[in-house]
């Protein structure tokens, strides 16, 4: 770089926002809390909404509640303290529009209005019409833009910002850095493949400063050409990353399981039920993968209760009969223990050497397991992914199974590979994505689906009830217990920091008072494993009638006799998570129920969401409802951790785009398999980012 350039401050995407004029330490901190630390983050923070400042409503047509824009003269700005509210000041002014006038009020004048003198000022004003005390109409808290310097852009962005950073300040800062910074943003789609679609930089400019001819409705709906360009760019990177992973695993040597099916045959014959058609199909697909001398990298998707575990056990036995070891990993100790026990039960008599390895296995016992694995003596190990991946060496790992994969990154397999370079990988998930969508999204991976539930299950009747009906619900639970039913009662809090009534202990004591004869215990994440285990075991074995729990019962726990699940404060959960929780019951042949209790202060939109759960019974229906209810951007919820790394893709709307991105990713790889030619530079960066950050399949926890 030349001397001249160094004297001016060169902007890079990594430049911290704190280096910008107007952003002191306090604002920088507030922005950092929202994930906006660098210039790159700043320009990636897109408007949440847009306002159209072109509409003009004739003053005679104004109605209470409508949002209107006026061009007029603002005068007689006056400010005085409000009666009884010391810290608030009421500001009023008059807006003159074509000879008529309307009163404007603010409770606390916005800082940018300070410079307005009561002399008449040509302005644009946008705000909501409300009724004034004397029955007339007034404009409350409007936005005001001075016309002294000409007309502003007609479509104005509105950002979601921390309180310390005002809209105008943010807009100004974005405007200052955008022209230079937007050019620095890499495109993952190579220039020649992009054809005439917008670059990412142009798309960012379009979204921060929409051109006059942009369609405000499309912008608002996240459906503008710029949104689509961003969606395509990230989809392309996603598909490229999957394709690269898939090609890599196809090239990697993998343990080939070609022995006679001695164990798997016995296992299948011993099962107390017939496998469903899709379980058989999945087993066939997995078996074929495992025979090959390349690494298997397969995703097994199936709704809650579809019977993924037995498929996994089959695969583990296939490894064992071929002389390899298998490791099955779960996100929680409880689940790992459950798998361990069911395996022992279902494989009794097969003489497979199994072990459990979780955080609670310690001391001598632990050493024995670790040694047994290193020596190749233990054939199947069950445990939490954290423990197995970080602390264990397995002599001949032939298969790694990751249950409830949505908790882990798709690409989070570096550590698994460390266990054994040739290990095949089976990931299992009840991801809330409809099958057809998953097929195209993950088309570059090998995916097997369990798309039917084992026969004989009666659908779970789902009810939506109000918190105020609690007494009545308790009565019903008493009857259920009298009939021999078993009940999960799920509450959101361990301790009631902000809402004592919704805590585990408080709920348990209320239930004990109302249903004196019930045997009740509690279960939550802060209990020691041994205690959790005791409670869960007692519930499973029928020594308890009612288990008051946090969402730790959510993942994969299987008690076929559980007949009712009550979910308190149900509005706090996403639909996918509710579906997972609901799946704790309905695992036996007896009819079962799910009672969703909405808090008294739940708002309309959450109630509407909960109502969907009454109609949507299968995972597919829930997933579709979930996708339709949420808008783009908000898809799979930023609130939830570990969602798909697709911020702009509207999975239902963009199905065609997904196909195109996949085809294009394949093209790109065919022509430049290692992505090291200059046109693939952006693609390489984007893929690396995705592979190192990892991501998961949409969150249900
Ligand atoms: P998930 O796919 O949610 O992990 P599980 O593997 O825990 O589901 O299976 C749920 C229940 O269904 C278990 O009790 C399991 O033994 C039972 N199950 C699995 N497959 C079948 C089948 N083909 N017929 C009857 N019951 C089955
Ligand atoms: Mg499971």
């Amino acid at each position: 770089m030349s001397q001249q350039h160094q004297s001016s401050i060169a902007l890079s995407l990594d430049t911290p926002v704190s280096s910008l004029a107007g952003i002191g330490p306090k604002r920088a901190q507030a922005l950092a809390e929202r994930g906006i630390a660098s210039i790159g983050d700043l320009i990636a923070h897109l408007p949440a909404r847009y306002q159209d400042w072109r509409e003009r409503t004739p003053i005679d047509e104004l109605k209470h509640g409508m949002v209107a824009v006026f061009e007029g003269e603002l005068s007689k700005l006056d400010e005085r303290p409000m009666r009884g509210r010391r810290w608030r000041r009421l500001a009023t002014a008059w807006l003159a529009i074509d000879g008529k006038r309307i009163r404007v009020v603010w409770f606390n004048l916005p800082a940018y209005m300070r410079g307005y003198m009561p002399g008449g000022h040509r302005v644009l004003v946008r705000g909501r019409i409300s009724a004034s005390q004397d029955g007339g109409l007034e404009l409350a808290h409007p936005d005001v833009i001075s016309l002294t310097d000409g007309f502003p852009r007609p479509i104005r962005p509105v950002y979601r910002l921390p309180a310390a950073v005002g809209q105008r300040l943010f807009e100004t800062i974005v405007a200052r850095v955008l022209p230079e910074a937007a050019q620095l943003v890499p495109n993952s789609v190579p220039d020649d493949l992009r054809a005439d679609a917008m670059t990412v930089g142009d798309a960012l400019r379009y979204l921060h400063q929409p051109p006059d001819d942009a369609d405000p409705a499309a912008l608002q709906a996240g459906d503008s050409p710029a949104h689509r360009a961003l969606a395509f760019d990230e989809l392309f990177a996603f598909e490229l990353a999957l394709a690269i992973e898939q090609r890599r695993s196809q090239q990697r040597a993998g343990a080939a399981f070609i022995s006679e099916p001695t164990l798997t045959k016995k296992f299948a014959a011993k099962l107390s039920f017939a496998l469903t058609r899709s379980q058989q199909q999945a087993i066939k697909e997995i078996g074929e993968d495992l025979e090959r001398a390349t690494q298997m990298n397969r995703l097994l998707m199936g709704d809650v209760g579809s019977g993924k575990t037995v498929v996994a056990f089959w695969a583990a036995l296939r490894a064992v009969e071929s002389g390899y070891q298998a490791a099955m990993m779960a996100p929680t100790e409880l689940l790992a223990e459950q798998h361990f026990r069911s395996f022992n039960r279902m494989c009794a008599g097969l003489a497979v050497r199994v072990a459990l390895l979780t955080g609670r296995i310690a001391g001598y016992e632990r050493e024995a397991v670790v040694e047994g694995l290193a020596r190749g003596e233990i054939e199947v190990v069950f445990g939490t992914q954290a423990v197995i991946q970080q602390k264990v060496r397995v002599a001949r790992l032939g298969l790694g199974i990751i249950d409830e994969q949505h908790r882990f990154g798709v690409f989070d397999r570096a550590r698994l590979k460390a266990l054994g370079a040739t290990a095949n990988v089976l990931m299992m998930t009840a991801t809330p994505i409809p099958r057809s969508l998953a097929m195209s999204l993950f088309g570059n991976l090998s995916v097997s689906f369990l798309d039917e539930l084992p026969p004989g299950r009666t659908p779970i009747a789902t009810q939506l009830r109000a918190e105020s009906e609690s007494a009545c619900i308790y009565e019903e639970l008493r009857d259920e217990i009298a009939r021999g039913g078993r009940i999960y009662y799920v509450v959101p809090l361990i301790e009631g920091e902000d809402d004592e009534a919704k805590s585990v202990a408080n709920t348990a004591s209320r239930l004990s008072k109302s249903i004196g004869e019930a045997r009740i215990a509690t279960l939550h994440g802060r209990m020691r494993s041994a205690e959790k285990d005791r409670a869960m075991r007692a519930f499973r074995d029928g020594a308890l009638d009612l288990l008051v729990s946090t969402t730790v019962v959510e993942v994969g726990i299987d008690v076929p006799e559980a007949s009712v699940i009550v979910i308190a404060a149900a509005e706090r959960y996403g639909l996918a998570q509710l579906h997972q929780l609901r799946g704790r019951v309905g695992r036996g042949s007896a009819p079962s129920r799910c009672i969703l209790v909405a808090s008294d202060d739940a708002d309309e939109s959450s109630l509407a969401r909960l109502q969907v759960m009454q109609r949507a019974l299968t995972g597919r229906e829930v997933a579709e409802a979930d996708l339709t209810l949420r808008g783009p951007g908000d898809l799979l919820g930023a609130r939830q951790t570990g969602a798909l790394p697709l911020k702009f893709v509207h999975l239902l709307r963009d199905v065609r785009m997904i196909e195109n991105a996949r085809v294009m990713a394949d093209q790109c790889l065919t022509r430049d398999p290692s992505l090291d030619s200059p046109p693939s530079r952006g693609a390489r960066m984007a893929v690396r980012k995705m592979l190192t950050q990892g991501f998961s399949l949409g969150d249900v926890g």
Side-chain angles (χ1 to χ4, degrees):
M1 191 181 279
S2 73
Q3 285 296 331
Q4 264 171 324
H5 271 97
Q6 280 180 354
S7 58
S8 70
I9 300 163
L11 190 73
S12 96
L13 293 176
D14 297 325
T15 308
V17 287
S18 56
S19 68
L20 297 170
I23 305 293
K26 226 169 118 188
R27 286 189 173 130
Q29 171 68 23
L31 287 172
E33 278 164 19
R34 303 284 178 103
I36 307 172
S38 65
I39 302 279
D41 301 332
L42 183 83
I43 62 173
H45 188 71
L46 296 179
R49 287 185 292 119
Y50 290 89
Q51 298 174 338
D52 189 350
W53 283 67
R54 271 172 304 204
E55 301 148 356
R56 298 283 184 277
T57 315
I59 200 162
D60 315 315
E61 290 171 24
L62 291 182
K63 281 193 199 74
H64 183 202
M66 81 183 358
V67 171
V69 183
F70 307 97
E71 186 181 335
E73 283 207 6
L74 197 64
S75 62
K76 299 220 174 70
L77 185 61
D78 179 41
E79 216 185 346
R80 63 196 128 81
M82 281 175 78
R83 221 175 301 134
R85 300 190 180 213
R86 254 180 306 152
W87 64 93
R88 279 197 151 186
R89 292 168 69 82
L90 181 70
T92 56
W94 286 100
L95 182 68
I97 312 152
D98 304 334
K100 293 172 187 140
R101 58 179 206 166
I102 180 165
R103 205 168 95 108
V104 184
V105 298
W106 291 270
F107 309 106
N108 285 350
L109 196 62
Y112 70 83
M113 289 294 301
R114 296 275 167 223
Y116 285 72
M117 301 313 283
H121 217 97
R122 193 110 196 116
V123 290
L124 271 185
V125 175
R126 184 178 192 278
R128 191 175 292 282
I129 304 296
S130 59
S132 68
Q133 279 176 344
D134 58 16
L137 292 175
E138 64 182 25
L139 203 48
H141 283 282
D143 273 331
V144 178
I145 295 176
S146 165
L147 291 178
T148 7
D149 304 323
F151 275 82
R153 289 177 181 278
I155 307 172
R156 300 185 55 79
V158 181
Y159 297 93
R160 214 170 279 141
L161 294 171
V165 182
Q167 293 289 335
R168 279 169 206 242
L169 174 65
F170 194 82
E171 226 178 290
T172 314
I173 289 170
V174 167
R176 208 187 304 147
V177 301
L178 193 60
E180 207 180 328
Q183 286 180 356
L184 300 174
V185 182
N187 291 283
S188 54
V189 184
D191 291 342
D192 58 322
L193 293 179
R194 187 185 325 109
D196 54 357
M198 259 186 235
T199 63
V200 173
D202 286 343
L204 292 178
R205 267 198 294 264
Y206 187 104
L207 294 173
H208 284 294
Q209 300 175 339
D212 295 2
D213 62 354
D215 174 3
L219 276 169
Q220 185 68 42
D223 202 13
S224 69
H227 283 105
R228 284 170 183 272
L230 294 183
F232 191 80
D233 195 80
E234 66 182 6
L235 258 179
F236 176 80
F238 181 79
E239 293 299 339
L240 199 55
L242 292 180
I244 286 176
E245 271 299 292
Q246 182 71 346
R247 286 184 188 207
R248 273 191 201 153
S249 62
Q250 277 164 357
Q251 286 160 6
R252 265 183 229 131
F257 302 168
I258 44 176
S259 313
E260 281 301 303
T262 47
L263 288 173
T264 43
K265 215 170 184 173
K266 279 190 213 153
F267 173 72
K270 260 170 58 72
L271 280 176
S272 60
F273 46 73
L275 293 171
T276 63
R277 201 185 32 77
S278 53
Q279 280 171 324
Q280 291 170 23
Q281 177 65 21
I283 283 176
K284 182 165 166 282
E285 290 166 1
I286 292 168
E288 285 168 5
D289 271 7
L290 292 176
E291 277 179 19
R292 291 194 197 104
T294 55
Q295 202 170 57
M296 176 174 86
N297 186 20
R298 185 169 282 273
L299 200 58
L300 176 61
M301 292 185 153
D303 197 3
V304 196
S306 59
K308 295 184 285 295
T309 317
V310 61
V311 176
F313 288 178
W314 182 90
L317 291 171
R318 187 82 188 106
V320 174
E321 68 195 5
S322 308
Y324 287 95
Q325 292 164 284
M328 180 159 177
M329 287 160 272
T332 64
E333 302 204 337
L334 220 53
L335 195 53
E337 288 157 16
Q338 175 181 295
H339 287 329
F340 175 65
R341 278 198 215 101
S342 345
F343 188 87
N344 281 327
R345 197 178 60 239
M346 293 171 90
C347 300
L350 294 184
V352 177
R353 283 163 298 175
V354 292
L356 177 66
L357 192 60
T358 60
R360 61 178 285 227
I361 309 285
Y364 171 75
E365 201 182 349
R366 173 188 191 84
E367 269 167 41
V369 175
V370 170
E371 230 162 75
L373 285 167
R375 289 220 200 98
E377 288 160 7
I378 291 170
E379 292 163 313
V380 185
V381 62
F382 294 87
T384 50
Q385 152 247 17
V387 170
I388 291 189
Q389 292 190 6
Q390 281 161 21
K391 312 210 173 109
V392 177
R393 284 198 31 253
V394 185
R396 293 186 321 282
L397 187 72
L399 175 68
I401 302 165
I402 309 181
D403 192 19
E404 303 295 345
Q405 195 281 333
H406 54 269
R407 289 283 177 104
F408 316 130
V410 166
F411 299 127
D412 184 21
R413 278 171 300 135
R415 285 204 225 103
L416 187 66
K417 272 182 246 148
L419 292 176
T422 58
N424 297 293
V425 179
L426 177 64
M427 299 169 277
M428 309 204 291
T429 181
T431 194
I433 297 177
R435 174 181 177 147
S436 60
L437 195 56
M439 287 275 262
S440 54
L441 204 51
F442 300 104
N444 276 332
L445 289 182
S446 318
V447 188
S448 296
F449 290 91
L450 299 187
D451 50 7
E452 60 193 322
L453 293 183
R457 305 258 173 91
T458 37
I460 306 161
T462 303
Q463 308 171 337
L464 179 56
R465 311 278 289 266
E467 195 178 350
S468 53
E469 292 174 63
S470 289
C472 177
I473 295 173
Y474 290 179
E475 240 358 88
E476 293 171 27
L477 297 184
R478 171 203 296 267
D479 293 345
E480 182 69 28
I481 290 170
R483 282 195 299 269
R486 250 175 266 172
I487 298 162
Y488 289 111
Y489 202 112
V490 180
V491 296
L493 304 168
I494 297 180
E495 276 159 26
E497 294 87 11
D498 55 338
D499 202 346
E500 185 55 34
K502 295 192 171 84
S503 73
V504 171
N506 195 287
T507 306
S509 80
R510 256 182 299 129
L511 282 161
S512 313
K513 268 181 220 139
S514 314
I515 319 174
E517 64 279 24
R519 294 165 301 170
I520 298 177
T522 58
L523 179 73
H524 59 74
R526 265 190 238 149
M527 279 162 57
R528 294 212 329 273
S529 300
E531 295 173 297
K532 277 195 282 194
D533 186 41
R534 197 175 317 129
M536 204 59 226
R537 192 196 300 250
F539 186 69
R540 186 196 60 201
D541 298 343
L544 286 173
D545 304 306
L546 202 157
L547 193 60
V548 181
S549 161
T550 56
T551 54
V552 291
V553 290
E554 171 200 345
V555 175
I557 294 300
D558 189 34
V559 179
E561 295 82 5
S563 50
V564 176
I565 183 165
V566 182
I567 305 173
E571 74 283 352
R572 297 198 189 193
Y573 305 102
L575 292 189
Q577 195 179 6
L578 289 173
H579 182 66
Q580 273 270 358
L581 284 169
R582 178 167 66 182
R584 296 308 112 222
V585 299
R587 299 186 148 237
S589 48
S592 49
R593 266 194 305 159
C594 170
I595 303 177
L596 302 173
V597 184
S599 304
D600 289 337
D601 57 3
D603 61 30
E604 282 300 315
S605 70
S606 358
L607 290 179
R609 219 160 42 83
L610 291 179
Q611 263 153 10
V612 168
M613 289 300 292
Q614 296 182 283
R615 277 173 279 125
L617 295 178
T618 64
R620 203 195 68 227
E621 286 164 350
V622 171
E624 275 164 7
D626 211 12
L627 290 173
T628 341
L629 279 176
R630 297 185 205 187
D634 176 40
L635 208 63
L636 296 172
R639 203 162 42 86
Q640 304 177 323
T641 52
L644 285 166
L646 301 173
K647 278 192 297 193
F648 304 108
V649 181
H650 190 312
L651 290 174
L652 289 187
R653 181 195 67 192
D654 298 337
V655 175
R656 290 260 315 275
M657 197 190 274
I658 295 171
E659 299 290 341
N660 290 341
R662 211 174 71 217
V663 171
M664 210 181 267
D666 278 338
Q667 271 176 0
C668 178
L669 269 189
T670 304
R671 135 185 128 171
D672 183 8
S674 48
L675 296 182
D676 49 13
S677 72
S680 310
R681 192 178 148 267
R684 193 172 66 242
M685 284 167 64
V687 166
R688 188 177 306 146
K689 200 165 145 199
M690 255 182 206
L691 292 178
T692 51
Q693 283 179 343
F695 60 84
S696 57
L697 294 176
D699 197 317
V700 282

